[in-house]
Amino acid sequence: MASPKDPVTEASAQKLRLSKEIVLAGALDLVDTEGLDALTMRRLGQELNCDPMSLYRYAENRAALLDGVSELVFNELEIFPHDPDWKAQLRRIAHDLRLLALRHPNVVPLLVTRPLSTPLGLRPLGTLRPLEQILSLLVDAGFEPTDALHVYRAYYGFLYGHILNELQEFIVDPEENEVLLRLGLHRLPAKDFPRLRALAPVLADYDGAAELDQGLTILLCGLESSLTQSVPSATD
């Protein structure tokens, strides 16, 4: 017959099992399944089967949990700042970040909006890593540091815009064969919106990866052109 468990010993074992990594992983799981609003110390304590007060040893408040979740997601993003093919690297990073967003859609608003309310130097170091690495990638490619910052802003502005747009794409009636009806475009006056209605087949056949790639091609070709124009020729 098994001896009864000692409550003190079991509580001590629970404390030993906790770590910052486990707490943040639990927080990310909770956000993934229930959304950002569900993330509280009390709710996370329930998920981890521990006293919520014990979580304060690993995150001083809910804001710290949110920052930790952001860092955890960004840590999944691999960047190679010394890759000589900067265009291929930016294209790969964009597709990888898109896949991250699709895996963690509830975290996307946190990644996009939370940094705007925090001064740059006070943001978690893990969330600044992509900025530093992409700046290095662009400067090594020949961009002036100031221009590299402009490129980064344009790149991430486009990328986040695409991700937010893709996550909000939806069809009114997926069972309807007629594309105008599937998208609800039949409700738009034909005289006022002829071009939008004509694009219904393309809109209904939305492919997030292909759409991202198309936009990246436009963006990267423009950046490459500006870089070429800024490099003095041998005859100058």
Side-chain angles (χ1 to χ4, degrees):
M1 180 177 178
S3 59
K5 294 180 180 179
D6 182 347
V8 176
T9 303
E10 190 157 331
S12 300
Q14 177 64 54
K15 288 183 179 179
L16 290 175
R17 284 198 297 271
L18 284 180
S19 66
K20 184 174 182 179
E21 291 74 19
I22 289 174
V23 169
L24 292 181
L28 178 57
D29 286 343
L30 183 56
V31 171
D32 281 341
T33 56
E34 299 185 23
L36 284 170
D37 290 343
L39 183 58
T40 64
M41 291 296 193
R42 180 183 296 277
R43 184 72 184 82
L44 183 56
Q46 292 173 348
E47 285 296 299
L48 296 176
N49 193 29
C50 68
D51 182 350
M53 295 304 295
S54 66
L55 299 177
Y56 287 95
R57 302 176 63 185
Y58 309 99
E60 61 182 353
N61 49 37
R62 183 175 184 272
L65 279 180
L66 294 175
D67 287 341
V69 167
S70 297
E71 286 189 290
L72 205 56
V73 172
F74 274 125
N75 283 343
E76 296 182 42
L77 186 66
E78 275 195 300
I79 298 176
F80 303 99
H82 303 299
D83 187 338
D85 193 341
W86 61 276
K87 290 194 300 177
Q89 184 70 200
L90 289 181
R91 193 179 292 273
R92 185 193 61 77
I93 293 167
H95 281 284
D96 286 353
L97 187 58
R98 170 183 173 267
L99 293 176
L100 265 179
L102 294 179
R103 286 201 299 273
H104 306 290
N106 291 335
V107 181
V108 170
L110 181 63
L111 303 181
V112 175
T113 62
R114 185 167 175 76
L116 301 178
S117 62
T118 308
L120 198 62
L122 298 180
R123 296 176 194 174
L125 297 184
T127 64
L128 293 175
R129 178 179 57 85
L131 169 57
E132 179 67 23
Q133 292 180 325
I134 290 177
L135 288 176
S136 295
L137 177 72
L138 293 169
V139 170
D140 287 351
F143 288 93
E144 291 296 321
T146 301
D147 291 334
L149 182 59
H150 293 322
V151 170
Y152 173 87
R153 287 170 173 163
Y155 173 72
Y156 264 88
F158 160 73
L159 186 50
Y160 280 144
H162 169 86
I163 288 170
L164 289 173
N165 184 66
E166 181 172 356
L167 290 176
Q168 292 173 7
E169 282 287 326
F170 69 94
I171 291 174
V172 173
D173 185 0
E175 302 300 322
E176 177 58 58
N177 290 326
E178 173 57 50
V179 291
L180 283 174
L181 298 177
R182 287 175 64 198
L183 296 171
L185 292 178
H186 62 288
R187 299 173 183 175
L188 301 180
K191 186 177 77 170
D192 296 331
F193 298 93
R195 298 191 186 279
L196 193 55
R197 287 171 60 103
L199 284 169
V202 179
L203 292 168
D205 194 30
Y206 183 85
D207 182 328
E211 193 74 23
L212 175 62
D213 219 42
Q214 187 82 349
L216 285 169
T217 297
I218 296 169
L219 179 63
L220 295 176
C221 285
L223 292 175
E224 184 178 38
S225 176
S226 69
L227 178 60
T228 302
Q229 292 171 13
S230 68
V231 176
S233 66
T235 58
D236 287 348

